[in-house]
Amino acid sequence: MNRFKTSKFKNTTPKIPKKDEWINNVRAGSFSSQGNHIKASSKLVAFNTDQAGGGLLGLSSVKPGADGQWTVAQISCHSDLITDLDFSPFDENLLATCSGDEMVKLWRLCDPELEQPSSPELTLHPGQGRLELVLFHPTSSGLLAVGSAKSPLIWDTSRQDAPLAVLEQHGDQLQSLSWKRDGSLLASSCKDKMLRVFDPRAQLTPVQSAKSLQSNKDSRVLWAKDDFLLTTGFDMSRSREVRLWDSRKLSSSVGYASLGTSSGSGYSRRHTDTAPLGSPPVISPPDLLHSPIFPNTTAKERRRAGAWPCSREERKGRMEEERES
């Protein structure tokens, strides 16, 4: 009997586009910050480019031009490294950037073939030192979450003088932020190994928090579905791992998987219309617990997450259903 469960992904191979479908002349730099270095809307792709001191943004389109080629434009956005960027979910041309120059800027971008704006549409000055994270609210077009070294800030872009809320200061470097899909809650991960969930409308302190992460090395948090959170990071032996959490009870994870040893950090991406892209592919928490991604889950953990099947009879019934289908 084979002691290892066969993975349905074992023969999966990437489909590499032909060279005439590549976007060439891209000089993507190697930068150190907590944010993203590439983001896309349904129309545009923006990314950090290699320049002494940073501050330069590359811009291309999702689809090629009339000649079948992609145009790459460059925009000088900041006087220091661009630490994070995010497209508005309500406007495919509106991009928010933050930087080591302590500013957040909103840019109204054009097609790469056209002349880009020389100045931002809006500039915010949080006054919290170097900024690491910026994230549009998923259901309110005028709201932004901004991450300084240790504090998440909530900004209304119609009120530029001061943030709407300054959430409780974290114990160490803020590493990631993620809005719940309905915009009601904001999750954060931090170098102090804490996971925190905020309700910015109700209070400035977390509604849930726990020392949940295994290591203070780079971590990321992502709302998966409903009340479930997904984190990527490192365990105590410095192996990369991914964990699933119930945001209502952060004291222990619902499931986890080891991704092997590597110095590179893991990133998760969620496709807002269907399912997440990246690591791992979450469709729903119960199905995720039974996928090859999360083999290390107990029956008790599966029951708590509402996963199937937990008992021998349920497993047998499920197998019969699969054979019939």
Side-chain angles (χ1 to χ4, degrees), residues 67-87:
D67 59 355
Q69 301 298 314
W70 280 267
T71 300
V72 178
Q74 291 188 332
I75 312 167
S76 181
C77 294
H78 291 269
S79 60
D80 203 340
L81 171 67
I82 299 173
T83 51
D84 198 10
L85 57 153
D86 192 32
F87 277 100

Side-chain angles (χ1 to χ4, degrees), residues 101-176:
D101 64 9
E102 307 180 15
M103 289 187 284
V104 175
K105 297 182 179 182
L106 267 62
W107 301 87
R108 181 75 57 183
L109 302 177
C110 309
D111 290 342
E113 297 84 3
L114 304 177
E115 185 178 354
Q116 300 300 323
S118 58
S119 59
E121 190 172 272
L122 176 71
T123 301
L124 303 176
H125 301 269
Q128 298 277 337
R130 175 186 166 109
L131 301 176
E132 290 285 349
L133 302 164
V134 62
L135 190 63
F136 275 103
H137 193 277
T139 60
S140 180
S141 61
L143 290 183
L144 283 170
V146 178
S148 63
K150 294 184 179 181
S151 297
L153 315 173
I154 310 299
W155 279 85
D156 183 347
T157 55
S158 64
R159 297 172 52 187
Q160 303 178 33
D161 53 339
L164 281 179
V166 180
L167 303 182
E168 182 182 71
Q169 184 167 317
H170 291 42
D172 209 320
Q173 174 67 59
L174 183 63
Q175 293 181 325
S176 69

Side-chain angles (χ1 to χ4, degrees), residues 224-280:
K225 187 178 180 182
D226 301 328
D227 293 308
F228 288 87
L229 292 167
L230 197 69
T231 60
T232 56
F234 295 81
D235 61 19
M236 289 181 287
S237 61
R238 296 285 175 158
S239 294
R240 293 187 301 173
E241 66 172 15
V242 57
R243 287 182 178 265
L244 183 70
W245 307 83
D246 186 335
S247 63
R248 298 161 295 185
K249 186 178 180 181
L250 296 175
S251 56
S252 61
S253 60
V254 177
Y256 74 96
S258 175
L259 303 179
T261 57
S262 173
S263 59
S265 302
Y267 289 81
S268 297
R269 294 291 180 267
R270 190 180 200 285
H271 192 286
T272 55
D273 294 325
T274 54
L277 302 177
S279 167

Side-chain angles (χ1 to χ4, degrees), residues 31 51-52 112 142 150 214 243 320:
F31 304 105
Q51 182 193 42
K150 294 184 179 181
Q214 301 293 306
R243 287 182 178 265
E320 290 176 354

